[in-house]
């Protein structure tokens, strides 16, 4: 049966875990977005400074980060490995806070990963096209397999959903490494000027990592549930 008590428990667990992670990152961001960083630099200025002063393997900073732009939305910051562009949300780009400094540095950390040829970063990038449509198709095949009692469709759906799970799992070490690189760059270039800067940056990067942990846990639990359904139908 598709909508049994196990599914309800799983749904509640995922909502609680992901909701708690989102509340924590927003609470942490809210706290440190009100605290100015010691360098007095906005997130956009931090990104530019790190691009010009940090090490990016054999590439120059302007080769590793081709453009820095501002995009709408809250916490919509990201690095695009396809064209090596870095996008910052308006608040992060313009506020000289510890939160903005940490977020901007984290995205520059992704640029450093790409420039240094991180295998995990490259593998995750290869999965992006499949992940963009895989989960949607997975649900179609899984539901079709359940309602039509066709095991083949169900298996295809699980395999497609497995790609999304693999992406979530690969994302964890990629994001953790980007945060480590961010902190190292901020310290080596002298952008961090006080213990408060360091403590706030660590708090921000830890909170961000927890959101990816929550996403991975939710994806794994969902996959395990689908595998349980597949075993029951046999």
């Amino acid at each position: 049966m598709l909508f049994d008590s196990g599914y309800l428990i799983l749904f509640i667990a995922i909502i609680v875990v992901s909701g708690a992670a989102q509340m924590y990152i927003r609470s942490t961001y809210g706290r440190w977005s009100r605290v100015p960083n010691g360098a007095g630099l906005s997130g956009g200025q931090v990104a530019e400074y790190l691009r010009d002063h940090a090490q990016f393997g054999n590439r120059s900073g302007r080769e590793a980060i081709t453009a820095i732009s501002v995009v709408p939305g809250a916490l919509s910051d990201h690095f695009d490995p396809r064209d090596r562009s870095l996008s910052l949300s308006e608040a992060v780009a313009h506020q000289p806070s510890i939160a903005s400094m940490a977020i901007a540095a984290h995205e520059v950390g992704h640029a450093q990963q790409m420039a240094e040829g991180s295998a995990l970063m490259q593998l995750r990038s290869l999965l992006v096209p499949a992940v963009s449509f895989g989960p949607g198709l997975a649900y179609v095949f899984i539901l079709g397999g359940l309602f039509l009692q066709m095991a083949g469709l169900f298996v295809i759906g699980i395999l497609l959903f497995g790609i999304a799970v693999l992406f979530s799992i690969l994302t964890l070490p990629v994001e953790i490494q980007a945060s480590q690189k961010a902190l190292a760059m901020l310290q080596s270039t002298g952008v961090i000027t006080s213990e408060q800067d360091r403590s706030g940056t660590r708090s921000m990067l830890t909170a961000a990592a927890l959101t990816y942990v929550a996403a991975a846990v939710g994806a794994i639990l969902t996959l395990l549930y689908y595998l349980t359904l597949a075993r029951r139908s046999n």
Side-chain angles (χ1 to χ4, degrees):
M1 185 169 60
L2 180 58
F3 298 106
D4 58 9
S5 60
Y7 183 85
L8 179 60
I9 293 172
L10 172 67
F11 179 77
I12 294 174
I14 292 175
I15 292 296
V16 170
V17 171
S18 61
Q22 287 296 324
M23 287 178 62
Y24 183 62
I25 182 63
R26 292 188 178 280
S27 172
T28 305
Y29 174 75
R31 175 187 177 187
W32 293 106
S33 65
R34 295 189 294 270
V35 181
N37 59 65
L41 299 176
S42 67
Q45 290 172 322
V46 168
E48 291 174 350
Y49 188 85
L50 294 179
R51 179 187 63 183
D52 295 338
H53 294 84
Q55 299 296 317
F56 294 91
N58 296 323
R59 289 179 175 173
S60 68
R62 292 186 181 274
E63 289 175 325
I65 301 176
T66 58
I68 300 174
S69 60
V70 180
V71 294
L75 300 178
S76 53
D77 316 271
H78 63 278
F79 172 75
D80 191 335
R82 295 171 298 181
D83 60 5
R84 302 193 300 278
S85 63
L86 192 153
S87 300
L88 298 175
S89 58
E90 293 184 11
V92 169
H94 298 137
Q95 290 180 358
S97 66
I98 290 178
S100 295
M101 176 178 68
I103 293 171
H106 177 85
E107 300 308 330
V108 175
H110 283 310
Q112 192 177 68
Q113 285 176 309
M114 202 66 187
E116 293 175 351
S118 167
L120 286 174
M121 181 78 168
Q122 293 174 352
L123 180 57
R124 190 182 73 160
S125 297
L126 289 175
L127 291 176
V128 169
V131 172
S132 63
F133 63 84
L137 280 178
Y139 293 130
V140 172
F141 280 106
I142 288 171
L143 290 174
L146 286 172
F147 286 124
L148 299 176
Q149 295 296 303
M150 297 178 65
L153 290 179
F154 195 81
V155 170
I156 293 174
I158 289 178
L159 290 175
L160 288 172
F161 190 79
I163 296 175
V165 174
L166 177 60
F167 183 83
S168 293
I169 293 173
L170 286 174
T171 293
L172 282 176
V174 169
E175 296 297 332
I176 290 172
Q177 186 186 57
S179 291
Q180 292 171 339
K181 288 181 175 297
L183 187 59
M185 280 189 289
L186 289 171
Q187 293 183 140
S188 64
T189 58
V191 177
I192 283 182
T193 63
S194 67
E195 183 56 39
Q196 179 175 250
D197 281 353
R198 186 176 293 103
S199 175
T201 298
R202 285 185 183 278
S203 294
M204 280 297 305
L205 296 176
T206 299
L210 287 177
T211 63
Y212 295 104
V213 171
V217 169
I220 292 171
L221 288 176
T222 302
L223 178 62
L224 290 175
Y225 176 74
Y226 289 148
L227 291 174
T228 300
L229 285 181
R231 189 179 305 171
R232 289 181 191 173
S233 62
N234 292 334

